Amino acid sequence: MSRTVEDTAHASAPVLAAYRYCEAITGQQARNFAYGIRLLPTDKRQAMSALYAFSRRIDDIGDGTLEPVAKKGRLEDTRALLDRIKDGRIDDDDTDPVAVALADAARRFPLPLDGLDELIDGVLMDVRGETYETWDELKVYCRCVAGAIGRLSLGVFGTVPGAQDAERAAEYADTLGLALQLTNILRDVREDAGNGRTYLPAEDLAKFGCADGFDRPVPQPGSDFTGLVHFEVNRARALFAEGFQLLPMLDRRSGACVAAMAGIYHRLLSRIAADPGAVLRGRVSLPGREKAFVAVRGLSGLDARAIGRRQSVRRRG
């Protein structure tokens, strides 16, 4: 059983300092994520910050400038640190504040820490330069780098007592992670191409004449780039529709957090659909006022109630 906010307030000074360190990392490096988790109570916000900080460390190794062999070594060192956290071998006065915070969060919440092993596996795919022939292959990668984070987050959120279909909550959290990751892939096609990476399935690229890649601010001559983007947008929208079924299973503030974070990406997806070429010209983002609108909708429970009503209609039908 998780501890309460009051328990967190009485945590040791090193643990509280470790959480502040993780929250600072989150605020500086993940504005959309930080925007969503500010809706959570203190204990859950701290735990989510610890998860983000550890995940960010893994991502930064993969995105860094080290040679592949060195990256693999650093990732395996991080996996060894994760094993220490799993085994309860991190003391409050350990010199690594991210490990201290995550270890405390794992004592307070039922976190499936194997999900961070999956994240390491996914980043190792990047280090090896893997490409994906089909959507089924890309899904494996997306589940490692995003679906696992959805399941870890659910460990912090929990589900409300008596929630219908609660046994499928982890499945929906995983699917929502896939939706967010596919949206990220679409948004970053030009940036990834500049780093020598292509994530979209090769069979999709061939189908729409885009196999030559995305290394220019306009589509390749003769390609149907708009068709490709709309095809992937529809796939992502289907994933969002399924993953959003998680919302009615969460308490109000956890649901608001998920609705805000996922809602930002859902609206980002709509922007990409409206102007597919924008992802080749620069980074597509939402203005602050639009993010605020998404957060207000989430906090009001409008999205969760709408999804709950649709589920009830389907069950009656």
Side-chain angles (χ1 to χ4, degrees):
M1 181 177 295
S2 65
R3 294 200 320 230
T4 64
V5 176
E6 288 74 16
D7 293 325
T8 309
H10 290 93
S12 69
V15 168
L16 293 175
Y19 278 127
R20 286 194 294 272
Y21 178 82
C22 292
E23 289 185 291
I25 291 175
T26 304
Q28 292 165 6
Q29 302 187 27
R31 285 176 291 179
N32 287 348
F33 187 82
Y35 204 93
I37 67 172
R38 67 195 292 187
L39 303 173
L40 294 171
T42 301
D43 57 341
K44 291 184 178 182
R45 187 182 70 248
Q46 289 173 331
M48 291 295 289
S49 294
L51 279 172
Y52 174 81
F54 197 92
S55 301
R56 181 68 189 221
R57 178 178 296 181
I58 296 168
D59 285 340
D60 283 349
I61 294 170
D63 292 337
T65 58
L66 295 174
E67 292 299 314
V69 171
K71 287 183 178 182
K72 290 175 184 176
R74 291 278 303 277
L75 288 168
E76 291 307 328
D77 288 344
T78 306
R79 198 189 299 274
L81 176 61
L82 178 60
D83 287 339
R84 288 179 56 209
I85 294 170
K86 290 179 184 177
D87 295 341
R89 291 184 285 122
I90 299 291
D91 295 326
D92 286 5
D93 59 355
D94 192 279
T95 56
D96 187 330
V98 176
V100 170
L102 184 58
D104 186 75
R107 287 191 290 268
R108 291 192 282 125
F109 296 96
L111 302 181
L113 290 176
D114 287 347
L116 290 169
D117 275 305
E118 292 180 52
L119 176 58
I120 293 171
D121 292 339
V123 173
L124 282 168
M125 293 181 198
D126 281 336
V127 172
R128 293 192 295 266
E130 291 191 18
T131 56
Y132 308 97
E133 181 66 28
T134 66
W135 167 238
D136 283 342
E137 291 179 5
L138 180 59
K139 271 197 297 190
V140 174
Y141 169 78
C142 291
R143 284 211 158 94
C144 285
V145 299
I149 301 303
R151 286 178 264 122
L152 282 157
S153 300
L154 182 62
V156 175
F157 299 143
T159 56
V160 294
Q164 196 152 17
D165 294 331
E167 69 278 0
R168 299 190 65 184
E171 173 191 338
Y172 292 141
D174 183 275
T175 301
L176 201 52
L178 264 64
L180 270 67
Q181 186 62 23
L182 183 53
T183 303
N184 265 334
I185 287 170
L186 282 172
R187 181 189 62 184
D188 296 340
V189 289
R190 179 80 190 281
E191 180 181 337
D192 289 334
N195 292 323
R197 294 176 177 174
T198 300
Y199 290 97
L200 291 174
E203 67 177 14
D204 296 354
L205 300 180
K207 178 179 178 180
F208 292 95
C210 296
D212 288 340
F214 311 106
D215 58 351
R216 57 175 67 188
V218 294
Q220 294 284 345
S223 68
D224 182 10
F225 180 73
T226 296
L228 172 67
V229 171
H230 286 162
F231 180 78
E232 303 298 348
V233 163
N234 288 337
R235 174 177 278 156
R237 282 174 170 162
L239 292 168
F240 273 114
E242 181 178 349
F244 277 145
Q245 294 181 70
L246 175 66
L247 291 180
M249 302 178 186
L250 306 178
D251 67 68
R252 182 171 176 267
R253 291 176 73 174
S254 296
C257 172
V258 174
M261 288 189 293
I264 287 169
Y265 280 87
H266 194 252
R267 292 176 77 88
L268 187 64
L269 192 67
S270 295
R271 285 202 164 206
I272 293 170
D275 182 9
V279 299
L280 297 179
R281 299 191 299 269
R283 191 176 182 86
V284 180
S285 61
L286 297 184
R289 64 181 181 279
E290 197 164 346
K291 291 180 183 179
F293 173 75
V294 173
V296 169
R297 277 190 62 89
L299 194 57
S300 70
L302 285 172
D303 297 317
R305 288 198 295 273
I307 292 164
R309 286 194 297 272
R310 288 198 294 270
Q311 288 176 294
S312 297
V313 170
R314 282 198 297 269
R315 282 192 289 265
R316 287 198 300 270

